[in-house]
């Protein structure tokens, strides 16, 4: 560890934002677009690789950032579709080690219509397909795609990663940045950091990049892969669990990890997931380095916190990065 860095200091890399703005997207080319789910599932999730070589984005996208995709066509008001952001799923040097090919994790949005406004037909439950996710999932190798970005300057790996240990917590496609981060830290980095990945999905078949993480855990002693499956009964009869249930159940592992001032916590996925995590951490007195409580939560028992209270009353520190939607 260099002399002027304490374990608590988190130095993030400089970022270049908006190199390719919406008004001037670059043209990327699809390299591959393959399913990345463990098994047959009601969801469809693809690992999409895009060649950006020769464009201003080449070599300038960092793991943890996002890029934008502009779907062709217009919306119901006749306006061009708005840009949609997708988390980068590869290391900062890309899929190819040279920053020429970037990737993301794309889940098809497939749902029934539900009335949103007073003017909407309450009986219309016809099929709804998300515009950009389905556009992206339908693309084939060789197809062109308009890419913008990069976006994001905080959900990043620190510059001195060997000064830190890491707990990554994902639900669903929130796994995207952690694929790139795990590859960067474990496969292309040092062995100085302990890295724990905690992944939550409805069913085992919904696990994303499971073969990669299983391999990394088998090949690298410092990489640990934990899964929380919410809708399956465990073989010992235990009900399904969320990521914070697993955190609590394995306190003998996670208490020492989170109590260590080297550790950084990254949370990515569903909007509701951070409240359970913060509640469990507060109940076990291991939240201090990661968040502080504003006045409205002072004196309220963590078991009584609800999501809106957590959103308003918890302030994360520099050791806790949260990206949830
Ligand atoms: P999914 O496959 O449905 O998996 C989500 C898992 O989390 C399920 O097991 C679900 O359980 C569980 N869950 C539900 N509520 C929870 C809670 N309060 N605490 C903990 N776990 C909970 O996920 P998905 O459809 O891919 O959705 C992923 C989300 O991540 C999307 O909202 C997406 O926008 C977001 N995302 C954000 C970023 C980013 O911010 N950069 C990147 C990628 C994805 P049950 O369904 O069984 O209740």
């Amino acid at each position: 560890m260099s002399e002027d860095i304490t374990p608590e200091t988190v130095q993030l890399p400089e970022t270049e934002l908006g190199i390719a703005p919406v008004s001037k997207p670059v043209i990327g080319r699809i390299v591959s677009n393959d399913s990345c789910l463990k098994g047959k599932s009601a969801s469809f999730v693809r690992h999409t690789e895009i060649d950006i070589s020769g464009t201003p984005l080449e070599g300038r996208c960092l793991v943890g950032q996002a890029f934008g995709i502009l779907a062709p066509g217009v919306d119901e008001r006749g306006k061009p579709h708005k840009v949609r952001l997708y988390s980068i799923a590869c290391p900062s040097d890309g899929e190819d080690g040279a920053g020429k090919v970037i990737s993301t994790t794309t889940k098809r949005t497939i749902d029934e219509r539900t009335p949103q406004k007073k003017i909407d037909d309450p009986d219309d439950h016809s099929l709804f397909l998300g515009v950009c996710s389905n556009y992206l999932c339908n693309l084939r190798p060789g197809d062109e795609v308009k890419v913008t970005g990069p976006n994001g300057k905080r959900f990043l790996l620190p510059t001195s990663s060997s000064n830190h240990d890491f707990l990554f917590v994902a639900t669903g496609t929130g796994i995207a940045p952690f694929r790139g981060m795990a590859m960067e830290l474990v496969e292309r980095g040092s062995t100085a950091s302990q890295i724990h990945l905690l992944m939550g999905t409805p069913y085992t078949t919904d696990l994303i990049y499971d073969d990669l993480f299983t391999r990394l855990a088998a090949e690298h002693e410092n990489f640990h892969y934990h899964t929380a499956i919410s809708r399956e009964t465990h073989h010992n009869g235990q009900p399904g669990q969320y990521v914070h249930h697993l955190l609590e159940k394995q306190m003998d592992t996670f208490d020492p990890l989170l109590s260590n001032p080297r550790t950084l916590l990254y949370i990515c996925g569903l909007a509701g997931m951070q409240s359970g995590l913060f509640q469990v951490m507060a109940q076990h007195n291991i939240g201090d380095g990661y968040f502080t409580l504003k006045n409205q939560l002072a004196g309220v028992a963590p078991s009584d916190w609800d999501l809106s209270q957590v959103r308003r009353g918890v302030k994360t520190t520099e050791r806790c990065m949260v990206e949830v939607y």
Side-chain angles (χ1 to χ4, degrees):
M1 191 181 301
S2 67
E3 283 171 11
D4 54 347
I5 298 180
T6 66
E8 293 86 356
T9 307
V10 184
Q11 293 184 327
L12 298 179
E14 292 291 317
T15 49
E16 301 176 280
L17 302 179
I19 296 165
V22 172
S23 57
K24 218 175 164 191
V26 305
I27 304 297
R29 199 172 281 279
I30 299 294
V31 175
S32 61
N33 205 354
D34 300 316
S35 173
C36 52
L37 289 167
K38 182 176 172 71
K40 195 160 173 50
S41 160
S43 302
F44 303 95
V45 183
R46 289 188 173 269
H47 178 68
T48 311
E49 296 190 358
I50 304 173
D51 185 343
I52 49 161
S53 58
T55 76
L57 284 182
E58 179 181 329
R60 293 162 82 186
C61 297
L62 298 177
V63 66
Q65 290 189 300
F67 58 80
I69 294 292
L70 290 170
V74 293
D75 62 21
E76 64 278 5
R77 291 174 301 149
K79 300 249 171 72
H81 290 299
K82 290 209 173 80
V83 67
R84 306 300 207 278
L85 297 185
Y86 292 90
S87 288
I88 290 172
C90 56
S92 298
D93 60 2
E95 293 289 343
D96 57 329
K100 294 177 191 295
V101 179
I102 56 174
S103 63
T104 190
T105 316
T106 320
K107 180 174 185 172
R108 289 185 187 274
T109 300
I110 303 173
D111 214 337
E112 285 186 349
R113 265 175 230 285
T114 47
Q116 308 283 324
K117 304 177 202 142
K118 273 190 180 156
I119 54 162
D120 292 344
D121 177 355
D123 296 322
D124 181 8
H125 303 299
S126 58
L127 186 66
F128 169 82
L129 296 180
V131 170
C132 200
S133 63
N134 284 290
Y135 161 70
L136 203 46
C137 282
N138 288 345
L139 289 173
R140 299 169 184 217
D143 285 348
E144 290 188 345
V145 57
K146 287 180 180 167
V147 186
T148 69
N151 301 67
K153 56 183 180 181
R154 179 154 151 68
F155 198 88
L156 302 170
L157 285 178
T159 46
S160 312
S161 55
S162 56
N163 287 350
H164 298 282
D165 297 319
F166 299 87
L167 175 57
F168 299 140
V169 189
T171 47
T173 50
I175 196 69
F178 301 139
R179 174 183 180 271
M181 288 181 178
M183 289 168 75
E184 184 152 325
L185 290 170
V186 183
E187 280 196 321
R188 301 179 188 176
S190 76
T191 54
S193 302
Q194 287 296 317
I195 302 139
H196 287 258
L197 170 64
L198 218 171
M199 167 61 163
T201 54
Y203 297 99
T204 307
T205 48
D206 293 311
L207 288 168
I208 301 169
Y209 304 126
D210 180 70
D211 47 356
L212 169 74
F213 297 128
T214 302
R215 180 176 62 76
L216 290 182
E219 290 177 357
H220 302 270
E221 280 184 358
N222 60 328
F223 183 78
H224 312 271
Y225 177 43
H226 315 264
T227 57
I229 307 299
S230 59
R231 300 186 198 171
E232 287 173 12
T233 306
H234 202 256
H235 52 76
N236 62 11
Q238 294 281 322
Q241 56 187 351
Y242 284 169
V243 282
H244 61 271
H245 298 135
L246 191 58
L247 185 84
E248 179 150 50
K249 223 180 261 177
Q250 296 192 10
M251 265 301 149
D252 51 340
T253 300
F254 294 121
D255 184 330
L257 178 72
L258 287 167
S259 300
N260 187 333
R262 284 172 49 91
T263 301
L264 305 183
L265 171 63
Y266 292 70
I267 299 171
C268 188
L270 285 180
M273 68 183 286
Q274 80 271 33
S275 61
L277 292 168
F278 291 158
Q279 278 176 298
V280 167
M281 290 168 69
Q283 282 162 339
H284 289 265
N285 297 315
I286 47 174
D288 277 359
Y290 304 93
F291 55 84
T292 55
L293 302 182
K294 297 184 195 161
N295 281 342
Q296 61 259 49
L297 275 187
V300 182
S303 53
D304 292 336
W305 298 354
D306 63 27
L307 179 58
S308 70
Q309 283 174 312
V310 169
R311 279 211 185 109
R312 282 182 283 115
V314 172
K315 187 175 182 324
T316 52
T317 69
E318 60 173 5
R319 286 173 57 202
C320 182
M321 330 292 176
V322 182
E323 278 274 346
V324 289
Y325 285 101

